[in-house]
Amino acid sequence: MRILAIESSCDETAAAVVEDGRNVLSNIVASQVEEHKLYGGVVPEIASRRHAEAIVGVVDEALSAADCTLDDIDAVAVTYAPGLIGALLVGVNFAKGLSLAADKPLIPVHHLRSHIASNYISHKKLKPPFLCLVVSGGHSHIVEVRDYTDMKVIGRTRDDAAGEAFDKAARAMGIPYPGGVELDKIAESGDDSAFSMPKPHVDGSEYDFSFSGLKTAVINLIHSREQKGEDIPVADICASYRRAVVGCLTDNFLKAAFDLGYTTLVTAGGVSANSLLRRELEERCRGRFDLYMPDKYLCGDNGAMVGAQGYYEYLAGHTAGSDLNAAATLPISENINSGK
Ligand code: KG4
Ligand code: ZN
């Protein structure tokens, strides 16, 4: 089954053609990051306008790179939640139009489910059940993936997402948006024991995260050194901060895996490209857990992952009609048409 998949939840206009959920025939991503950089973060209205301009060309390119026309496509999948509402609506309306005009089924896809599904492309044999650490710019979740469309969140951030925590700390050090990527590179040459960072304490669920205290600590450290006229050892601060954030993510994830008896562990989302997170998990999982992480090019937002998850949503009967709407927030556990 060939799915044409569309993604426009944030600042990437993306489309792909994916066969049977695992085989990527094309994957085109048009990034707006250079424009949002000027403002230090994503400006929602600009994002929507750029999606509107780019979407026809990106979808055309995805079809031609896959050597397909609409006739060779069996269904259209689209990210419908969560994300920036204006941005999502561009993709949803475009996908609706295509599905109506070409008379193909329309498959709505949850953005975080698609991040998880990027692993089905990178690891052809991977199947649920597994425990997944989903870490992106907007979310930090520990998710029990019981089946392809049956998921339960058992840990979440109480404040900032991991990606947001990296981006905001980076910004305080003058690193341009999205600073997480650059902070990771700079941290490689720093001393991660140069500065001690607070260990966040979260009351209630033992698997929940909190990053706002860590982020404030690093911002205060920078400001206080600036006020005293001291130098800012950026690489050491990046390394110490990255070590602290990654420590929280891996500690909670591995504790949950032990407690719940999962043996297969998976990561997903933009932050799963972080080099320390990847090294740390590889080291701590060796001989104890089977670890799967997406190829780096599939960690950020893309259309291929939407096509992968779209396939399993279709098999589960989760299609939509022409009244499909977008949603800025939506729990990962919610299935369209299932009444859950
Ligand atoms: O999943 P994603 O592409 O978009 C959302 O759904 O939010 O994640 C983007 C986030 C940004 O905050 C970006 O700074 C972060 O992922 N990110 C990283 C790295 N690469 C991307 N954070 C830390 N280290 C990286 N190597
Ligand atoms: Zn994303």
Side-chain angles (χ1 to χ4, degrees), residues 6-7 9 77-83 88 92 107-118 134 136 138-139 141 143 148-149 151 153 156 301-303 305-313 318 324-325 327-336:
I6 297 170
E7 150 66 33
S9 66
V78 65
T79 309
Y80 77 117
L88 287 164
V92 165
I107 312 167
V109 177
H110 189 288
H111 184 60
L112 298 184
R113 287 189 183 192
S114 68
H115 270 301
I116 295 171
S118 61
V134 187
S136 69
H139 296 85
H141 284 348
V143 183
Y148 291 105
T149 63
M151 313 198 184
V153 176
R156 63 177 73 240
D301 293 344
N302 64 83
M305 66 185 193
V306 181
Q309 183 61 23
Y311 176 68
Y312 294 102
E313 298 291 348
H318 300 158
L324 175 68
N325 208 340
T329 59
L330 184 78
I332 196 169
S333 54
E334 208 149 304
N335 279 321
I336 208 149

Side-chain angles (χ1 to χ4, degrees), residues 131-135 139-144 152-162 199-214 244-257 259-260:
L131 192 68
C132 189
L133 178 69
V134 187
V135 272
H139 296 85
S140 302
H141 284 348
I142 299 175
V143 183
E144 280 191 85
K152 184 183 175 197
V153 176
I154 57 157
R156 63 177 73 240
T157 183
R158 297 285 180 89
D159 37 62
D160 294 331
K199 196 156 173 50
H201 176 76
V202 185
D203 284 329
S205 166
E206 52 192 333
Y207 310 130
D208 279 2
F209 306 107
S210 168
F211 297 114
S212 69
L214 268 173
V245 172
V246 167
C248 298
L249 293 172
T250 48
D251 285 353
N252 288 18
F253 186 37
L254 295 182
K255 177 162 185 11
D259 291 354
L260 300 168

Side-chain angles (χ1 to χ4, degrees), residues 106-323:
L106 177 65
I107 312 167
V109 177
H110 189 288
H111 184 60
L112 298 184
R113 287 189 183 192
S114 68
H115 270 301
I116 295 171
S118 61
N119 285 282
Y120 305 141
I121 298 167
S122 295
H123 311 288
K124 306 289 184 216
K125 297 255 154 57
L126 176 67
K127 286 195 276 200
F130 53 78
L131 192 68
C132 189
L133 178 69
V134 187
V135 272
S136 69
H139 296 85
S140 302
H141 284 348
I142 299 175
V143 183
E144 280 191 85
V145 182
R146 298 152 162 179
D147 207 341
Y148 291 105
T149 63
D150 179 7
M151 313 198 184
K152 184 183 175 197
V153 176
I154 57 157
R156 63 177 73 240
T157 183
R158 297 285 180 89
D159 37 62
D160 294 331
E164 199 181 354
F166 276 127
D167 294 343
K168 286 180 179 168
R171 191 177 178 174
M173 286 180 271
I175 303 167
Y177 175 84
V181 187
E182 197 57 31
L183 186 152
D184 186 23
K185 285 189 200 141
I186 297 170
E188 290 293 297
S189 62
D191 171 5
D192 67 5
S193 59
F195 295 98
S196 69
M197 295 282 155
K199 196 156 173 50
H201 176 76
V202 185
D203 284 329
S205 166
E206 52 192 333
Y207 310 130
D208 279 2
F209 306 107
S210 168
F211 297 114
S212 69
L214 268 173
K215 179 194 68 190
T216 308
V218 91
I219 290 171
N220 288 345
L221 171 68
I222 293 160
H223 288 169
S224 108
R225 291 184 77 95
E226 272 170 357
Q227 273 162 6
K228 290 186 209 150
E230 292 171 352
D231 68 316
I232 310 287
V234 172
D236 290 350
I237 298 175
C238 287
S240 305
Y241 182 69
R242 182 180 68 164
R243 157 75 50 207
V245 172
V246 167
C248 298
L249 293 172
T250 48
D251 285 353
N252 288 18
F253 186 37
L254 295 182
K255 177 162 185 11
F258 269 122
D259 291 354
L260 300 168
Y262 278 93
T263 53
T264 304
L265 302 193
V266 174
T267 69
V271 180
S272 59
N274 186 269
S275 16
L276 181 66
L277 179 66
R278 292 176 88 95
R279 284 201 298 271
E280 192 80 359
L281 280 174
E282 262 161 15
E283 207 165 289
R284 293 179 69 178
C285 289
R286 197 167 299 128
R288 300 199 285 179
F289 298 105
D290 293 325
L291 175 68
Y292 297 89
M293 298 185 280
D295 289 317
K296 281 201 175 183
Y297 81 98
L298 289 171
C299 288
D301 293 344
N302 64 83
M305 66 185 193
V306 181
Q309 183 61 23
Y311 176 68
Y312 294 102
E313 298 291 348
Y314 181 79
L315 294 184
H318 300 158
T319 54
S322 56
D323 59 347

